[in-house]
Amino acid sequence: MRLEEKVRGASHREVVDRLGAFFGAKSVVLIGATDRSPWSIWTHANLRQYSPNVTVHVVHPHHDQVHGQQVLKSLNALDEPVDLAYVMVPTSAVLEVMNEVADAGITNVVILTAGFGEAGPEGAELEAQLVDLAHARGLTVLGPNGNGFINAAGGLTPYGLLITPPLDVGPVGIVLQSGGLASAVLAGAQARGVGLSLLVSTGNEALTSASDIMRYLIEDDRTKVIAAFLESIRQPDEFREVAELALAAGKPIVALKTGRTEAGAKAALAHTGALAGDDRVIDAAFRQLGIIRVNSLEELLATAGYLGHHREIRGRRIAAITPSGGACDLLADLASEEKLEFPEFPPETLAELGELLPSFSNPQNPLDVTGYVVMDPTIALKSLGIVANDVVGNYDMVLYTATIPRLEAPNPAPIEQRMDALAEAGKSLDVPLVLQSLISVDLTSYSRKLLGDRGLYLLSGIEPGMRAIGHGARYHDRRDRWLEVGPPTTAPSLEAPVNARGVWPEHLVRGLLEAHGIPVAPARLATSALEAKAFAGEFEEPVAMKVASSALAHKSDIGGVALNVEVDQVTATFDELKKRLAVALPEATLDGVLVGPMRTGGIELLVGVVTDPTWGKVLSLGLGGVWVEVLGDVALRVLPVGPEEITTMLGELRGAALLSGARGTRPVDMDRLVAVVYQIAQLAEGLGEALDTLEVNPLRVEGDCIEILDALAVWRSEGDSK
Amino acid sequence: MRLEEKVRGASHREVVDRLGAFFGAKSVVLIGATDRSPWSIWTHANLRQYSPNVTVHVVHPHHDQVHGQQVLKSLNALDEPVDLAYVMVPTSAVLEVMNEVADAGITNVVILTAGFGEAGPEGAELEAQLVDLAHARGLTVLGPNGNGFINAAGGLTPYGLLITPPLDVGPVGIVLQSGGLASAVLAGAQARGVGLSLLVSTGNEALTSASDIMRYLIEDDRTKVIAAFLESIRQPDEFREVAELALAAGKPIVALKTGRTEAGAKAALAHTGALAGDDRVIDAAFRQLGIIRVNSLEELLATAGYLGHHREIRGRRIAAITPSGGACDLLADLASEEKLEFPEFPPETLAELGELLPSFSNPQNPLDVTGYVVMDPTIALKSLGIVANDVVGNYDMVLYTATIPRLEAPNPAPIEQRMDALAEAGKSLDVPLVLQSLISVDLTSYSRKLLGDRGLYLLSGIEPGMRAIGHGARYHDRRDRWLEVGPPTTAPSLEAPVNARGVWPEHLVRGLLEAHGIPVAPARLATSALEAKAFAGEFEEPVAMKVASSALAHKSDIGGVALNVEVDQVTATFDELKKRLAVALPEATLDGVLVGPMRTGGIELLVGVVTDPTWGKVLSLGLGGVWVEVLGDVALRVLPVGPEEITTMLGELRGAALLSGARGTRPVDMDRLVAVVYQIAQLAEGLGEALDTLEVNPLRVEGDCIEILDALAVWRSEGDSK
């Protein structure tokens, strides 16, 4: 992939600096500006309204006056250097214009024009030319087929759709691979009081990817959290690096990634020209990388807004103050689902609340100050004061249901005083104060002012709010562990066996596994009935016998496995297995028959490593039998993983209790089990590109006895096996 | 429960008529009206603003003028009959005032005052007196401790918290057991353009329950869908009857029921004084009754709003038109989760769309008309026109992403014309047209007008909208089946055995099961070693032997089960089992030893019937072993259920595939299995109050061989067993 290699060549710092200049432009030229295009009208209007310190030029070969401004016929007419070109010319003119842009000494280009990679093979060819040209001329390009960007914090808004005021500046950086949703997200953010640092619509990502934008946002001081709408991850290595930089910096990435389902993946394929990866692998990769995955635009904004304003909240213990028992019920239900806690109030707190609140109240956490708050609106704040005394060591945050008036009252003083008191309480509280509304409705200009003037942020709605708090708690858990353990180390590179071709059945894989010290149940490959009988004598009676042929991947498909064979039956069984192979696959060569001791009891696991087209080697781990076959109960991780992560994987299995001795099974030596799975993962990873699949099934586990009973490998190079 | 019996005495028609008069009052007297109480101020203001045709009187013993109105010192001063009293006097004065109300010939009373059942034993006693008084004087009472109601459609708004305009009239009837959330729900409904018929806050439900309100709403022509916030279901029989009436009437009930989790249940217990039932049973009961259960206030409104306006939509096949590929991806993901479908467009439709849309487009369902819609806003409507030609037989609805302007443009004509065209298209379309926004934001006064003037409703947001559509599809499936099958018939009443006391182990339950024709694996109760040996000879060798004592519920706990006993070991085994009982439970009487054939293989099921404190007999059905013990994989239903529902239960099990022959098992004779489970359920239900628990574990199933291997019963009357 030519593009990726070129981009990958750039260092993190280079990308950040380049985009810093890009988003920090002080002058913009709109190329192809015309009063007949809404895009042109709106981009110009946006710049006029929200970019007061930016010089705007308009260029069009055939107009004199556009958007009430004098038109330059060409870039040659510019009498000063310009930082950024915004290109709206027809598709066929884009390359020529880019050359003119470069000639004029402009290095930053937004291309709004569509008709490139998204439009079939011809468009893709044109996009490739565009990329070459940009590289040759040293241009930084956003798009094509993108709306541009809104640098809210920096006052630069070359964005193709009208920005309805107000444009709130704040801690959330947004990157979208869908231009069509960018304005919806903007409107949603405004409605909820989620302030933006930067919003970027990346379009076709010919040169600047969502990952690049995230790099910039990680280094951008005004951005505290990154919200992303992603349709495809084209460069997973790049993405992984960025995610780890974000983890290191403590800037949460909240991502809405589409293509969750087969149907979704099909839609994504059709219109972006990029394959959506297997969604379960993406889920796994995101979890490993500390990325918060959400399911809707609403959840994206609620989570990013919360984290932007409350990034510092760690822990799950909440003290809540509400005006309604119904709200308490909802909070309690959601807390349980999100594994958040409402620890009981200390006795002194309860006693003081009992004195403050009406006799018919029932103080507890979450607290219902009762409808009496209508008569005496101060009881909620007073309750906050009481709860505040005992928060240290008991709670990680105070959650306060705030009913913010939507319209200014004839006498606004009382509410404004209460808002002042609330802001003061937040400042003096020893843990963060989180304000929350009972239901998700938009801020009005008045409620926005009441909050904004006091630097307050309101979580919109009980359910969206509690989900966001849950995301935050899980994020910090993941990140803390990541900081503690560090990123997993890559496995040492291993040379593939010289005969690594096609499919390797058990008798070939055994040697590979044993050579790397991985425990395989004992067995010997007998090449004659006589030898088989001799080998059988080495083991306890009865034995297991399995036909071995490089041409046969699945022995049991042809009845090639004989169990519980008594010693006196070994010779006959050898001949029978030989016959079965000859009948089923006449052209196959018999390599021999594996003879080994019978193994029964214990728990069987499946340990597989497959190659995902996007993410590379993926480890899957599950309990055998119904668990995998009927329930699909498998934990996934993108390699590399460390032993800690394998322990977590085992804990994620729905049948995990079996490993610790449920139903009378012998508890498994977990350290040893993790070590063996880790060995398998290291081997598969170390073999690199040569290996496609390594599947151990089953790995038998009984107490501290852990051994492989069967395994299969698939190599990348074609063999003659099938 | 005295209250329930009294209420239960009233027929559906009586309740509906009584509440019809209640909510249809033409004159209201506010008792305890004072300018010092916000409740009084707001109730009065609400009546003034939204109840233009209602006469309002104010009564207070010590004021002359309140809310700018002449005060009556007492109800004696009324010079005309009044329909409804709204009581805001102190708790201690409520009973006296109720007598005065009755004396004045007023029969309808809202009691806002708190301090009753919710406030401990004293309050509960006061509430009991209130109930007696209301019955004695023939009063219809809403509350106490409730905000009153908003009859939006009928223009009567005696409601204690200020109603911010606009108050949209519409198809959604709302009942809430939480007064504190009523205004939040009202605000949320307004924000989303969800119009209300009636909103009722039921408070303590001393006399009028949420079920009563639902009865009224079912019969209210202006109500198309019922939204409920429920903390507890105090009268499940009543509730069930109402739910079935709603199913019959085709009025969906959407319910947010709190107490989902243990933590939630605790909060509900603390402040309502009513036990929250086991949540999984509630889930089951709701599903059986066709009630749509939601998880948030936002989902409650989105679902009720959608169903209120699109109740007629059946089926899952959607044709969608959007302005964004990102929106298509989200729609496709959500459709897959909600089991909705986007069937491909017919070839003619695709061809026409190809001609209409830009060359870089990629027509498919869901359709992205592309960002070119900015240049030519008509392409979306034209696409709708093309899709409309082929909807019949292919689609159940057309979903159209509508971007409704938030502010009036300088020239509003074009958008207004497009809105007209959209409304026209909706009317001429052969399937329902559903409008949807990209993200959930509030309607503005302008967008509300654009929609409202044309009778259009906008689903707010892609994710909330698709969840609502999914709820609707599932509702219709459930209802259609309910209409087809009819409500399950109650099992015939059975007399309990004369010795039905305490716990019955297997040897006692066997007879009960056999007497009702339920297949039990053969076994005989031997009372001596000699007899045991004789019985063993009747079966194939080896046999199974199980100790039998009325004092022993769980035989295996004391090693009381011997498997694979050869005939020559039967005598010794009899003595051994006898000894084990004597050692473990010296005072227990040995009733004998069960001797029967060995049974292995097949699939084991658990069939249990337990008594839920709220819902009565509940059937649970699961696969044995890890399925129940590790996964908790059990399907639940409140009895009675018919065989159809038992079939559905089996299908819900995560291991259902095993029954149809996954993993090499023999497919089960499902008709026979369902029949046996139905027999067990009928027996348990028929035994009624006498029976607490009947547990069959395991029910062995192998092909068409279905038989009970072990069972246990617990009777309500205490026995001497343990």
Side-chain angles (χ1 to χ4, degrees), chain A residues 170 423 496 720:
Chain A
D720 42 16

Side-chain angles (χ1 to χ4, degrees), chain B residues 470-593:
Chain B
H471 279 307
R474 288 188 295 276
Y475 168 78
H476 280 295
D477 285 352
R478 275 261 151 204
R479 177 166 185 261
D480 290 348
R481 235 185 86 207
W482 186 87
L483 290 176
E484 197 189 309
V485 175
T489 47
T490 306
S493 201
L494 300 170
E495 212 166 313
V498 289
N499 54 337
R501 277 190 311 278
V503 179
W504 270 24
E506 178 186 350
H507 67 292
L508 295 175
V509 184
R510 296 179 68 88
L512 179 67
L513 294 166
E514 282 168 351
H516 289 89
I518 302 172
V520 183
R524 299 196 62 179
L525 186 68
T527 53
S528 69
L530 202 67
E531 212 178 17
K533 182 144 193 184
F535 290 162
E538 297 175 11
F539 306 113
E540 244 181 282
E541 250 188 306
V543 296
M545 295 176 68
K546 300 188 262 188
V547 74
S549 163
S550 303
L552 179 68
H554 297 287
K555 301 174 283 289
S556 50
D557 290 355
I558 66 153
V561 177
L563 300 176
N564 291 307
V565 184
E566 304 291 333
V567 171
D568 58 7
Q569 290 299 309
V570 167
T571 310
T573 305
F574 185 96
D575 294 336
E576 172 64 23
L577 291 175
K578 185 174 163 187
K579 202 177 88 190
R580 286 188 186 167
L581 179 69
V583 169
L585 297 171
E587 289 169 30
T589 310
L590 177 71
D591 295 332
V593 169

Side-chain angles (χ1 to χ4, degrees), chain A residues 38-39 119 184 192 231 259-261 264 270-271 298 326 329 333 336 360 362 364 371 375 439-440 442 625 629 654 663, chain B residues 39 119 184 192 231 259-261 264 270-271 298 326 329 333 360 362 364 371 374-375 439-440 442 625 629 654 663:
Chain A
W39 284 302
R192 290 157 176 79
E231 293 180 334
R260 278 202 91 85
T261 56
H271 87 274
E298 289 80 6
D329 294 344
D333 279 1
S336 177
F360 56 84
N362 184 347
Q364 60 172 325
M375 279 302 287
I439 196 166
S440 188
D442 294 0
E629 289 172 41
R654 279 186 267 171
R663 308 200 74 233
Chain B
W39 284 303
R192 290 157 177 81
E231 294 180 335
R260 278 203 91 85
T261 55
H271 86 276
E298 289 80 6
D329 295 344
D333 280 359
F360 56 84
N362 184 347
Q364 61 171 326
V374 169
M375 279 303 286
I439 195 166
S440 187
D442 295 359
E629 290 172 38
R654 281 186 264 171
R663 309 199 73 233

Side-chain angles (χ1 to χ4, degrees), chain B residues 202-274:
Chain B
T202 57
N204 286 7
E205 304 197 346
L207 289 123
T208 304
S209 67
S211 297
D212 292 330
I213 305 299
M214 289 197 247
R215 281 186 194 280
Y216 172 77
L217 293 171
I218 290 167
E219 302 291 336
D220 174 32
D221 288 341
R222 296 158 310 188
T223 301
K224 305 289 178 213
V225 57
I226 296 166
F229 179 88
L230 303 173
E231 294 180 335
S232 61
I233 291 163
R234 293 180 176 83
Q235 305 166 34
D237 289 347
E238 184 86 4
F239 185 81
R240 192 193 312 226
E241 186 193 323
V242 170
E244 290 183 344
L245 287 168
L247 268 178
K251 291 204 183 174
I253 298 174
V254 188
L256 177 55
K257 166 77 180 72
T258 59
R260 278 203 91 85
T261 55
E262 226 177 306
K266 181 191 140 205
L269 175 62
H271 86 276
T272 68

Side-chain angles (χ1 to χ4, degrees), chain A residues 76-77 98 165-166 174-175 216 248 263 270 275 291 294 297 368 425 602 604 700-701:
Chain A
N76 293 332
M98 281 178 67
I174 301 182
V175 55
Y216 173 76
L275 262 167
I291 292 173
V294 294
L297 296 175
D368 167 16
E604 298 194 340
R700 196 182 75 92
V701 176

Side-chain angles (χ1 to χ4, degrees), chain A residues 158-180:
Chain A
Y159 180 76
L161 296 167
L162 194 64
I163 305 168
T164 315
L167 178 56
D168 292 336
V169 177
V172 179
I174 301 182
V175 55
L176 303 104
Q177 286 182 330
S178 163

